[in-house]
Amino acid sequence: MRTAVKRFAGHRALSCEIRHLRRLSSRGDCPVRRVQATAHIRARELPYKDRPPAPRWYHQETTVVGAFFSGQDFEIEGAMGDARSTSTTSSGAKRKRAAPVYYAVKLGHEPGIYYSWEDAKRQTAAFKNPILKKCNTLAEAEEFMKSGSYSPARPGKSKYYGVQVGHRPGVYTDWPSVLQQVTGYKGGKQKKFDTWEEAQAYVNEAKGATPSDSGAAISLKGHLESTLSVGATIKAPKKQKKNDGSALAAITNGDFEPGTGPLPPGAEDGFDRTLKLDLATGAVQYKTYAELSALKMQPTGEFEGPLKICTDGATKGNGKIGAYAGLGVWFGPNDPRNIAEPLTGEKQTNQRAELTAIARALDIAPINRSAIIYTDSHYSLKCLTVWFQKWEQNDWKNSAGKPVENKDLIEPILARIRERELSKATTKIIWIKAHNGHEGNEGADALANQGATQRQAQQQMKARAGHSEIDVEPHAVDKPGMGKAHAFAEYGAQEGQAQINGIFGYLPGDADV
Amino acid sequence: MRTAVKRFAGHRALSCEIRHLRRLSSRGDCPVRRVQATAHIRARELPYKDRPPAPRWYHQETTVVGAFFSGQDFEIEGAMGDARSTSTTSSGAKRKRAAPVYYAVKLGHEPGIYYSWEDAKRQTAAFKNPILKKCNTLAEAEEFMKSGSYSPARPGKSKYYGVQVGHRPGVYTDWPSVLQQVTGYKGGKQKKFDTWEEAQAYVNEAKGATPSDSGAAISLKGHLESTLSVGATIKAPKKQKKNDGSALAAITNGDFEPGTGPLPPGAEDGFDRTLKLDLATGAVQYKTYAELSALKMQPTGEFEGPLKICTDGATKGNGKIGAYAGLGVWFGPNDPRNIAEPLTGEKQTNQRAELTAIARALDIAPINRSAIIYTDSHYSLKCLTVWFQKWEQNDWKNSAGKPVENKDLIEPILARIRERELSKATTKIIWIKAHNGHEGNEGADALANQGATQRQAQQQMKARAGHSEIDVEPHAVDKPGMGKAHAFAEYGAQEGQAQINGIFGYLPGDADV
RNA sequence: GGACACCAGAUAUC
DNA sequence: GATATCTGGTGTCC
């Protein structure tokens, strides 16, 4: 029985958390059956014109119900006032429940209050100066989280790194993050300061000269971190009386993505379309079937055809023992749903990276919305559209009579596709030639490489730190500045198709649909 | 069936023509099987001390037999009195032979008499005021070619451009040539005149100040052009009775390279050593095996070991669509055989430039004289010494199973190397590190860049002229003034070796020979 | 044998 | 940072 309590910084963060749980599920670590949580939505004023973030938080309690997965064994439940996630792994209930202790993690991968030191340590791995506190009562932990103080656990040692030129300029509080922003960026500039204000001023020096849209993208990770360490978010989400879409839009676009402008028309907002926020009660609920159908019947405006997602995997040193892999999922230029993350697990191969990328794409694709997944991996496409049929009948043996590799990844993806079918959402997989000028493929490729680099950094840190046995949990990171904002182009020349009972696979040479 | 009749201005020009045909062969346009022609050697007095060239021509008919290529399908034949080249492409015999018409091209890329308008147009492309005439009889064309008149086809429009400061100062009659001399030359000066005398006087204004060896080099192209448009060559080749080498030497060195002093000891004269001029009959013939062997047995004096040639390619914007490439072949400082020419064809890549430079080097290297080719291209060396062996067995597929690139260049080079082997001449290819202070490499590099600039000028002119569809045929151009006159230095530190059945490839790290 | 992908390396050209 | 090109390899399937 593994348990964890988390505090979510806003609706979007909660949405992210649900995704995170799905990701766990996709890894097979802890299959998700049901996701449900109560969120403490919190916001405060944005840092405006060099002004540090306001210390005052606005609060709102809400309950969110996430997706439902079949054949799994994991759930999250929440109670009023704090969001509590309870996970039950298949091997669960082995450890004894100790006296209740709380770990408030203010500067870490995912700030929040955790029940176990294991969980808290995981969140602070790779952070040189994590801000966290061990508390005996929940109230104490909450107080610590709320406090405007930025002093770290060991006062007097805090540092602020201003990244003036880098992938994502801004203020960072740990050196690894700075490295990540600066490495691989031509002419990267960073400087250490003792106060947030100084660092921010340093960052702003260059901001005037930078085009506003260039530095606009804020990564999910950056957001989460900045919520506590740098300061972000603004506009108190005043309680709304009416359940009109504009209110939700105001929260999603304006409030929780500082620096990012309104979404372009037709772009996805990253929220699960099966959910709705009841603004009268503050609760998030499943939309009724009628509501979903209504949306499907009125695709103008909100929906524009199937969701198109590009996936890719990258594995440095593929086949070698020290290989490190990453995966990328690309929805569009600067799309906040874009993810670049390392491949977890021991087996770091290109095929696993490619498959996992598809799995992550299906995590994010709304369960009831048709999706087209673009991959350059013949292997992945064939696995998910052709070969699996034979494998499901011959006990997963390949043509050589040996066990099929990566079954652990393929099966959950198939389950997800079938689940989507039940929601009347088709899932098409289309093959595209790699490195052929395809915008989405190149975007996904860059994201995947970014993810692989993250993995490399992780492993190196682990090695230096004397090999902690805990696998650092990855986080979604946007690709900064993927250039032009135009959406998917036509792909006709480089793709084809092949349909297999509800799942579509597309390869060049097949007839057009 | 493509046909063309050409008139060659002198022995050297014929040698150049043979090279040109070989070049066509190396491009795959029209593989050369056999080269044979009758040349009308022609000469007249040099312009001496501002005196314009004498109008009187001295004539001599002669027959030349060129190289023999294996597995090809092209030949040139000549008859007494006119040099006629007949080419048969593999796809040949498609066009119908029309009533015989002759195009006498006096001012063009390669002056001569052509059978088809297509050929003639090709020779006059990029010339604003080409001097050419359509004739119904060969006699008429010959008469036109012989006429001392310099009036262009449209009389009254003739121009003389004096290039006072430029790559090669002199008098030019077309603006493109002037541009080529001036572009890329710091402080280039040119001026238009109505008469040759005025232009020449303008050119001479600067000559006094210039060191005599600086402007000495005369390019092949310059020679060909000047033969007709500016005037060159002197000393009537009186008929000789005895077949002694000195007579040939007198013609080659003194008579047909005005402005160039005696060749330095050991330097190559650019003529095919397999040929000899029978001065009794005026015919040029293959040397007998005994004669060739005699030369090999008595290398003192005339030969000093293998011919050393440096090659290089340059491609501005390599990989981009608008790239333009050039190639350089360097024999020594101020060596008249040095060539800098643009890369022809659509595919302007660095690799093609490098390979083509080697092909051109082998054009010039006497077929029976061992040669060492220095290249900084790992790719070229490996192609020609290692990889081709596998490719010839696996139908030219690279390790990825894809067709090998640039096969069209590699195969003819290999054919040439084997042809040389039959003449008992070894061909070594030695790799040298680029930009490492190697005199020859730097010389070739400069020549290659010059060639690339020529290509750029060509394309720009083509674009301005409304995109003529004909690819302008390139010409060899010397690099003026490559500085110090000392020959090849030692290369020990930067090279190695690896021998493969008769063809030698040298790379650093291999054992020394 | 085929296919797609993922790398590693090398040289040159920009 | 990129392309031009090749060599070598693994990951996976048919």
Side-chain angles (χ1 to χ4, degrees):
Chain A
M1 174 78 91
R2 235 169 62 191
T3 54
V5 175
K6 290 191 184 177
R7 177 167 296 282
F8 303 107
H11 185 183
R12 168 167 269 279
L14 180 59
S15 180
C16 160
E17 172 67 7
I18 291 168
R19 250 153 64 188
H20 168 65
L21 289 163
R22 284 186 180 172
R23 193 188 326 151
L24 291 181
S25 143
S26 82
R27 295 208 329 237
D29 285 2
C30 45
V32 171
R33 160 168 263 150
R34 198 152 151 273
V35 176
Q36 182 179 353
T38 300
H40 180 124
I41 296 181
R42 149 172 93 168
R44 58 178 173 169
E45 282 180 52
L46 265 178
Y48 179 67
K49 283 191 179 172
D50 304 355
R51 180 184 66 197
R56 185 158 162 251
W57 290 91
Y58 298 90
H59 297 274
Q60 182 181 353
E61 311 293 335
T62 184
T63 300
V64 171
V65 179
F68 187 94
F69 290 85
S70 55
Q72 312 293 6
D73 187 29
F74 181 100
E75 66 185 273
I76 295 182
E77 287 169 349
M80 195 63 186
D82 74 289
R84 183 191 205 117
S85 59
T86 308
S87 64
T88 309
T89 62
S90 305
S91 64
K94 285 214 173 158
R95 231 179 318 142
K96 276 187 180 173
R97 192 80 184 84
V101 202
Y102 303 90
Y103 298 89
V105 174
K106 212 151 73 175
L107 174 53
H109 294 296
E110 279 196 41
I113 300 173
Y114 295 83
Y115 274 170
S116 72
W117 170 238
E118 216 171 74
D119 285 332
K121 195 168 65 172
R122 184 174 329 202
Q123 295 309 322
T124 56
F127 278 81
K128 257 188 181 168
N129 298 311
I131 305 180
L132 79 166
K133 191 185 178 192
K134 183 182 171 188
C135 309
N136 290 320
T137 67
L138 184 56
E140 184 188 348
E142 291 201 325
E143 186 54 39
F144 177 76
M145 291 301 291
K146 278 182 196 167
S147 68
S149 150
Y150 285 97
S151 60
R154 290 175 296 174
K157 287 216 172 188
S158 71
K159 290 166 196 162
Y160 296 90
Y161 299 92
V163 174
Q164 200 178 60
V165 181
H167 293 297
R168 181 169 28 257
V171 179
Y172 295 80
T173 53
D174 63 301
W175 182 242
S177 296
V178 174
L179 266 187
Q180 198 171 304
Q181 297 311 318
V182 171
T183 51
Y185 200 95
K186 204 180 74 177
K189 277 188 183 179
Q190 83 289 334
K191 203 168 186 305
K192 193 181 76 173
F193 298 92
D194 288 330
T195 66
W196 186 91
E197 286 80 1
E198 286 173 296
Q200 182 65 35
Y202 174 74
V203 172
N204 288 339
E205 276 177 33
K207 276 219 172 124
T210 313
S212 64
D213 65 316
S214 152
I218 297 290
S219 80
L220 209 43
K221 178 175 184 181
H223 175 62
L224 285 172
E225 286 180 8
S226 68
T227 303
L228 282 219
S229 67
V230 177
T233 66
I234 196 176
K235 275 186 188 167
K238 309 255 167 50
K239 207 166 186 179
Q240 300 285 134
K241 294 291 182 225
K242 283 173 59 69
N243 179 12
D244 63 81
S246 64
L248 184 56
I251 292 176
T252 59
N253 287 339
D255 295 37
F256 294 101
E257 295 206 334
T260 300
L263 292 173
E268 278 290 314
D269 65 10
F271 279 64
D272 194 331
R273 293 284 176 199
T274 58
L275 303 178
K276 68 172 180 182
L277 179 64
D278 186 340
L279 293 169
T281 67
V284 176
Q285 307 171 325
Y286 272 131
K287 286 176 180 170
T288 65
Y289 181 76
E291 283 169 322
L292 290 172
S293 300
L295 289 170
K296 287 205 137 181
M297 292 297 107
Q298 301 159 16
T300 350
E302 195 156 8
F303 288 91
E304 299 200 4
L307 184 57
K308 292 174 173 178
I309 318 176
C310 283
T311 66
D312 196 22
T315 308
K316 313 278 183 192
N318 187 31
K320 299 218 176 72
I321 47 168
Y324 41 92
L327 52 105
V329 184
W330 188 89
F331 291 80
N334 286 321
D335 194 299
R337 293 163 301 179
N338 291 351
I339 56 184
E341 62 187 42
L343 182 67
T344 55
E346 281 304 300
K347 213 176 156 197
Q348 299 275 310
T349 72
N350 65 324
Q351 316 286 38
R352 288 186 74 82
E354 303 269 11
L355 283 171
T356 306
I358 293 175
R360 301 285 292 109
L362 291 178
D363 280 345
I364 294 161
I367 194 169
N368 68 318
R369 179 162 177 203
S370 289
I372 300 176
I373 294 183
Y374 294 87
T375 178
D376 59 20
S377 167
H378 242 161
Y379 168 74
S380 298
L381 180 131
K382 292 286 201 173
C383 280
L384 299 173
T385 60
V386 181
W387 299 332
F388 80 92
Q389 297 172 91
K390 197 211 297 179
W391 294 339
E392 289 187 332
Q393 291 180 340
N394 75 352
D395 196 30
W396 294 81
K397 295 280 185 286
N398 66 23
S399 66
K402 302 226 163 60
V404 169
E405 301 284 333
N406 305 324
K407 175 191 170 192
D408 59 320
L409 291 178
I410 297 166
E411 278 196 313
I413 297 174
L414 291 172
R416 231 165 289 183
I417 291 172
R418 285 168 171 145
E419 177 185 273
R420 292 168 50 76
E421 269 186 274
L422 295 178
S423 301
K424 302 273 186 273
T426 60
T427 306
K428 286 183 187 175
I429 305 179
I430 295 185
W431 179 87
I432 52 178
K433 179 143 184 56
H435 316 298
N436 206 16
H438 187 291
E439 184 193 5
N441 181 255
E442 313 229 325
D445 181 73
L447 291 163
N449 277 290
Q450 199 175 314
T453 303
Q454 287 174 32
R455 169 83 190 185
Q456 185 180 28
Q458 271 180 16
Q459 298 303 108
Q460 284 174 357
M461 268 185 293
K462 217 186 275 189
R464 272 197 293 272
H467 56 280
S468 114
E469 70 291 344
I470 297 168
D471 214 334
V472 176
E473 202 49 55
H475 292 277
V477 175
D478 287 341
K479 173 73 177 9
M482 266 310 294
K484 301 150 289 176
H486 67 270
F488 272 74
E490 73 306 317
Y491 303 102
Q494 16 185 263
E495 58 192 54
Q497 75 194 57
Q499 177 181 347
I500 294 96
N501 59 301
I503 306 175
F504 301 81
Y506 292 77
L507 273 176
D510 303 334
D512 213 329
V513 190
Chain B
M1 176 77 92
R2 236 170 62 190
T3 54
V5 175
K6 290 190 183 178
R7 177 169 298 283
F8 304 108
H11 185 180
R12 167 170 268 277
L14 179 59
S15 182
C16 159
E17 170 67 6
I18 290 168
R19 249 154 62 190
H20 169 65
L21 289 163
R22 282 186 180 172
R23 191 188 328 150
L24 291 180
S25 143
S26 82
R27 292 212 325 241
D29 285 2
C30 46
V32 170
R33 161 169 263 151
R34 198 154 152 271
V35 176
Q36 182 180 352
T38 300
H40 180 126
I41 295 181
R42 149 171 91 170
R44 59 177 173 170
E45 283 180 52
L46 265 177
Y48 179 68
K49 282 193 179 172
D50 303 353
R51 181 184 66 197
R56 185 160 162 246
W57 290 90
Y58 300 91
H59 298 274
Q60 181 182 353
E61 311 294 334
T62 184
T63 299
V64 171
V65 178
F68 187 93
F69 290 85
S70 55
Q72 311 293 5
D73 188 28
F74 180 101
E75 65 184 274
I76 295 182
E77 287 168 350
M80 194 67 185
D82 75 289
R84 182 193 207 115
S85 59
T86 307
S87 65
T88 309
T89 62
S90 305
S91 63
K94 285 216 175 157
R95 234 181 314 146
K96 277 186 181 172
R97 191 78 184 85
V101 201
Y102 304 90
Y103 298 89
V105 174
K106 213 151 71 176
L107 175 53
H109 294 296
E110 279 196 40
I113 300 173
Y114 294 84
Y115 274 168
S116 73
W117 169 240
E118 217 171 74
D119 285 332
K121 197 167 65 170
R122 184 170 331 201
Q123 294 309 321
T124 55
F127 278 81
K128 258 190 183 170
N129 298 312
I131 305 180
L132 79 166
K133 191 186 180 194
K134 182 183 173 187
C135 309
N136 290 322
T137 68
L138 184 56
E140 183 188 349
E142 291 201 325
E143 186 54 41
F144 179 76
M145 291 302 288
K146 276 180 196 167
S147 69
S149 150
Y150 285 97
S151 58
R154 289 176 293 174
K157 286 216 173 186
S158 72
K159 290 165 195 162
Y160 295 90
Y161 300 91
V163 174
Q164 199 176 62
V165 182
H167 293 298
R168 183 170 24 260
V171 179
Y172 295 81
T173 52
D174 63 301
W175 180 242
S177 296
V178 174
L179 263 187
Q180 200 170 298
Q181 296 310 318
V182 171
T183 50
Y185 200 96
K186 204 179 73 177
K189 275 188 185 180
Q190 84 290 333
K191 204 168 186 309
K192 192 180 79 174
F193 298 93
D194 287 330
T195 66
W196 185 91
E197 286 81 1
E198 287 173 296
Q200 183 64 34
Y202 174 76
V203 171
N204 288 339
E205 278 178 31
K207 274 217 172 127
T210 313
S212 63
D213 63 315
S214 152
I218 296 291
S219 79
L220 210 40
K221 176 176 184 179
H223 175 60
L224 284 172
E225 284 180 9
S226 67
T227 303
L228 285 219
S229 67
V230 178
T233 65
I234 197 175
K235 273 184 189 168
K238 310 259 167 46
K239 208 167 188 180
Q240 301 284 136
K241 295 290 180 224
K242 283 174 57 69
N243 181 11
D244 63 82
S246 66
L248 182 58
I251 292 177
T252 57
N253 287 338
D255 296 39
F256 292 102
E257 298 204 332
T260 301
L263 292 173
E268 278 291 313
D269 64 10
F271 279 64
D272 195 331
R273 293 285 177 196
T274 58
L275 305 178
K276 69 174 179 183
L277 180 63
D278 186 339
L279 293 169
T281 66
V284 176
Q285 306 172 326
Y286 271 131
K287 287 176 179 170
T288 66
Y289 181 76
E291 285 169 322
L292 289 171
S293 299
L295 289 170
K296 288 205 133 182
M297 290 299 104
Q298 301 159 18
T300 350
E302 194 159 9
F303 289 92
E304 298 199 3
L307 183 56
K308 292 175 175 177
I309 317 175
C310 282
T311 65
D312 195 22
T315 307
K316 315 276 184 191
N318 187 32
K320 301 219 176 70
I321 46 168
Y324 41 90
L327 52 103
V329 184
W330 189 89
F331 291 80
N334 284 323
D335 193 298
R337 293 164 301 179
N338 290 351
I339 56 184
E341 62 186 41
L343 181 66
T344 56
E346 281 304 300
K347 216 175 152 194
Q348 298 276 313
T349 72
N350 65 324
Q351 316 284 40
R352 289 186 74 81
E354 303 268 12
L355 282 172
T356 306
I358 293 176
R360 302 286 291 110
L362 292 178
D363 280 345
I364 294 161
I367 194 169
N368 68 319
R369 177 159 177 206
S370 289
I372 300 177
I373 294 182
Y374 294 87
T375 178
D376 59 20
S377 166
H378 231 164
Y379 167 73
S380 298
L381 181 131
K382 291 288 202 173
C383 281
L384 299 173
T385 59
V386 181
W387 299 335
F388 80 91
Q389 297 171 91
K390 199 208 297 179
W391 294 341
E392 289 185 332
Q393 290 179 340
N394 76 351
D395 196 30
W396 293 81
K397 294 279 184 289
N398 66 23
S399 69
K402 301 234 162 56
V404 168
E405 300 285 333
N406 306 323
K407 175 192 172 193
D408 59 320
L409 292 178
I410 297 166
E411 278 197 313
I413 297 175
L414 292 172
R416 232 164 289 181
I417 292 174
R418 285 168 173 147
E419 174 186 277
R420 292 168 50 76
E421 268 185 274
L422 294 178
S423 302
K424 304 275 186 272
T426 61
T427 306
K428 285 184 188 174
I429 305 179
I430 295 185
W431 178 87
I432 52 178
K433 179 142 184 57
H435 316 297
N436 206 15
H438 188 291
E439 183 195 5
N441 181 255
E442 313 232 325
D445 180 72
L447 292 163
N449 277 290
Q450 197 176 315
T453 304
Q454 287 174 32
R455 169 83 189 183
Q456 184 179 28
Q458 269 181 17
Q459 298 302 106
Q460 284 173 359
M461 270 186 291
K462 217 186 276 187
R464 272 198 291 272
H467 56 280
S468 113
E469 70 291 342
I470 297 167
D471 213 334
V472 176
E473 202 49 53
H475 293 276
V477 175
D478 286 342
K479 173 74 180 4
M482 265 310 294
K484 301 149 290 174
H486 67 271
F488 272 75
E490 74 305 317
Y491 303 102
Q494 17 188 257
E495 58 192 55
Q497 75 193 57
Q499 178 182 345
I500 293 97
N501 58 300
I503 306 175
F504 301 81
Y506 292 78
L507 273 175
D510 302 334
D512 212 331
V513 190

